Structure formats: structure tokens, C-alpha cells
Amino acid sequence: MHPSLLSIPMRYFMEVAQAGSVNQAAARLFVAASAVSRQIAKLEDGLGTPLFERNRQGMVLTAAGQRLAGHLRNTLLDADHVLEEVRSLGGQAAGRVRVCCTEGFASGFMQALMRDFRSAHPAAGIELHVGAPDEVSQRLLRGESDIGLKYVVAPEAGLRVEHTAPAPVLAVMLPGHPLARGRQVELAQAVRFPLLVASPGVTARQLLDLACSAQGLQYRPLFVSNFSSVMLPLLRDRDIMLSGLLTVAQPIEAGTVVARPFVEPVLQQRRLQALSLEGRTLPPLVQAFVRQMVAAIGAQGRRKLGRAARGATKPVSLRR
């Protein structure tokens, strides 16, 4: 982005909003902290309203400050898009797509998507950032990424939903697992087996804990990690890994694992969402990437969840 397009007070305001500190903003701007404070005070006087709350934790945006920061972010992003179009007319780069996603999508789904998009748009640049769910949201809010992909259980302020699809938590296991023969898995059955689960804070783990609490069930995880790509190779004969479909779509297609949905509605509440910054108009190249992403998500959603191995024991239902 090009903050030089803003006036000095607005530039200083955006730096403080991002850093949460006058001193840190001054260090980034290579000016004295007093100069930053004067420009912020001047801006607040001119607007007739405080833009920050000053406290021990630093500078926190007020409602008015949040509104102004959001508008300026969109202005800078739109300006950045226009400048890229101008460069394109001059024979320079055709543009770029900045994507962020959580780890479960990165190694399989996103790799294939970026490869296919590059074939369709060979001159386009792609930037991929992989991070925690909160980090994905923050990068979109700060204008550091154009589009984000993550699992959600509730709407997030400041973000626009470009696409949403059901993303139930699945029981992933080897084809010969005793529960692989059924069309669904009951949680009370699953907790009897060694579980590979995500770290606390990840949506699949949150929903698992809620469902177990509702039924009075307890489980002892065999392996816990915030990286599904680490857990998947550790899956053994009687293990169950909790995951979303896009994370394990490739091994399902290869026949090395199968996945089954849970009976419990709580574990079906999660959504997969492609997100962008609210109020921003996405550049045509990013819109093309979103369309290709949506098509790829739909194609994966229509795939079967894998075949159980012959001779696997059909599970006995616990329902009365």
C-alpha cells in the first residue's frame, strides 16, 4: 500500500492505530514521539472527537477512530489497486493476490488452488500467509491480505463473507478402523479410541469439548497439535483424528484414510468461509481467485468420504 498518499496527520494516525502506541509509531516513522502526539491532537481537534482512548495498555481506537481507520484502509487498498492497474498499462506486473489461511488448508487444498490459478493467470503474483484463525482475521482487517480462508462458528465484525459452506468436524481414520463401516460416528463411540485433536482455541477442538460436555463424556487425547499435517502421518489402526474435509481431501482420494461425520449436531455447526475486508471492492484478479476458490470448494464437497476396508467390523450403535 502507499500511505504517502495520505496527509501527515492521517499517516501518523494510521501508524498509531496499527501499532497501538505513540512511541512505536514514532519509531516506524523515524520522528519524535512528541511530533506524533501533536499530529494526533491536531487531527482530533479538527474532527471534534477523540480518536483514541489513552490507557496503560496503549492507544485504543474509539468508535470514531475505528470508523476512520476502516475508511482509510479501504482508501489505501483502492489506491494500491489503481496504481497496479497503471503499472499494468505500462507493461509492468499484471497484479497480485494476497491470500491468508489457517494451516489445515495450506499444504493440500491451497497448493492445488494456487497451481491451477497460476496456469490460468501466468503473469499474476500470489502471496500466501499461513497463520492461526485470529491472525487470518487481523491480516484482513489491517489490509495485509486480500482474501482469507478459515473455519468459523460465529460472524466477525469488519469482515465480509465472500463464500460460505458447511464444514462439519469429521472423524478421520484408516480404512480398516472398526468405525469406518458406518455412515456416521457417535461421539460416545469415538472417545473410546485414541484421539488426535487440535490445540485448544481451534474450532474443531472447541466443538469437540462442547459436545463432550453436553453428553458428560470425557476423552484423553493421544496427540494434540495446532498442525494437522503433523498429526495425519501419525494416524494408526485404532486412532481417530478430528479434522475438516479440505484438510484430508487428498489422502481420502488416495484411499489412505476415510472420514465420517458425527451424529451430534454440535459437531456440524462449523462453517468454512472465504472472507475479505468489509467495504472494500476487490480487484478483478482477486475476484477471479475467489471464483476459482469457490469452485474448488464445491468440487471437494461433492466427493465421497472414502471406502472402508473389506472385513472392517461394522460398529454397533449406542442409541436405544
Side-chain angles (χ1 to χ4, degrees):
M1 293 187 294
H2 298 269
S4 58
L5 296 174
L6 299 177
S7 66
I8 290 178
M10 292 297 186
R11 286 176 58 196
Y12 286 17
F13 164 75
M14 287 299 290
E15 285 291 346
V16 175
Q18 184 169 351
S21 164
V22 169
N23 290 333
Q24 291 183 27
R28 294 180 184 180
L29 293 163
F30 300 100
V31 299
S34 58
V36 175
S37 295
R38 283 196 302 272
Q39 291 294 339
I40 297 298
K42 178 181 177 181
L43 184 59
E44 290 179 325
D45 288 342
L47 294 173
T49 185
L51 299 174
F52 293 97
E53 294 179 359
R54 283 80 170 169
N55 55 41
R56 293 180 179 179
Q57 286 72 39
M59 303 284 280
V60 180
L61 287 169
T62 63
Q66 291 176 357
R67 182 69 179 272
L68 178 60
H71 171 73
L72 292 177
R73 288 192 192 101
N74 286 333
T75 299
L76 290 172
L77 289 168
D78 289 342
D80 192 53
H81 169 49
V82 171
L83 291 174
E84 287 196 355
E85 286 186 334
V86 172
R87 293 191 190 99
S88 178
L89 292 173
Q92 297 186 30
R96 60 178 177 159
V97 180
R98 301 173 304 165
V99 190
C100 56
C101 69
T102 48
E103 178 272 337
F105 303 111
S107 60
F109 175 78
M110 196 59 72
Q111 277 182 331
L113 176 61
M114 291 190 298
R115 182 178 61 247
D116 293 343
F117 187 77
R118 186 180 178 186
S119 297
H121 304 270
I126 304 177
E127 297 179 11
L128 174 65
H129 182 89
V130 181
D134 289 345
E135 188 178 356
V136 169
S137 300
Q138 289 304 311
R139 287 186 65 86
L140 293 171
L141 292 170
R142 292 194 300 263
E144 296 171 355
S145 294
D146 301 312
I147 194 75
L149 185 66
K150 58 181 286 190
Y151 294 120
V152 300
V153 292
E156 298 188 60
L159 299 179
R160 179 177 63 220
V161 178
E162 299 289 341
H163 178 70
T164 185
V169 179
L170 302 175
V172 180
M173 61 201 100
L174 299 184
H177 195 282
L179 300 184
R181 295 281 291 178
R183 298 181 61 182
Q184 292 181 306
V185 170
E186 297 186 30
L187 188 57
Q189 294 174 320
V191 296
R192 296 177 177 178
F193 294 89
L195 297 183
L196 284 69
V197 299
S199 301
V202 177
T203 54
R205 177 68 178 273
Q206 292 173 340
L207 295 178
L208 170 66
D209 292 344
L210 282 173
C212 284
S213 177
Q215 296 188 40
L217 298 174
Q218 294 184 348
Y219 67 93
R220 184 177 179 181
L222 172 71
F223 195 86
V224 178
S225 177
N226 61 334
F227 284 94
S228 56
S229 57
V230 173
M231 293 193 291
L232 194 56
L234 299 175
L235 203 61
R236 296 180 299 185
D237 291 346
R238 295 181 60 82
D239 298 344
I240 294 178
M241 172 181 162
L242 272 66
S243 175
L245 175 59
L246 293 189
T247 302
V248 293
Q250 288 187 347
I252 288 176
E253 187 172 357
T256 57
V257 302
V258 300
R260 299 291 180 262
F262 285 92
V263 172
E264 287 74 16
V266 173
L267 291 163
Q268 302 171 18
Q269 291 178 356
R270 192 173 64 168
R271 308 287 296 182
L272 167 66
Q273 290 188 347
L275 302 165
S276 66
L277 181 62
E278 189 175 61
R280 184 192 173 197
T281 301
L282 294 178
L285 190 65
V286 178
Q287 293 180 26
F289 186 86
V290 172
R291 288 193 295 271
Q292 194 155 333
M293 177 188 289
V294 170
I297 292 172
Q300 293 292 355
R302 291 188 292 272
R303 294 180 181 274
K304 294 183 178 180
L305 298 181
R307 293 183 177 181
R310 291 184 178 180
T313 305
K314 189 172 183 179
V316 179
S317 174
L318 298 181
R319 293 182 178 181
R320 294 180 180 178

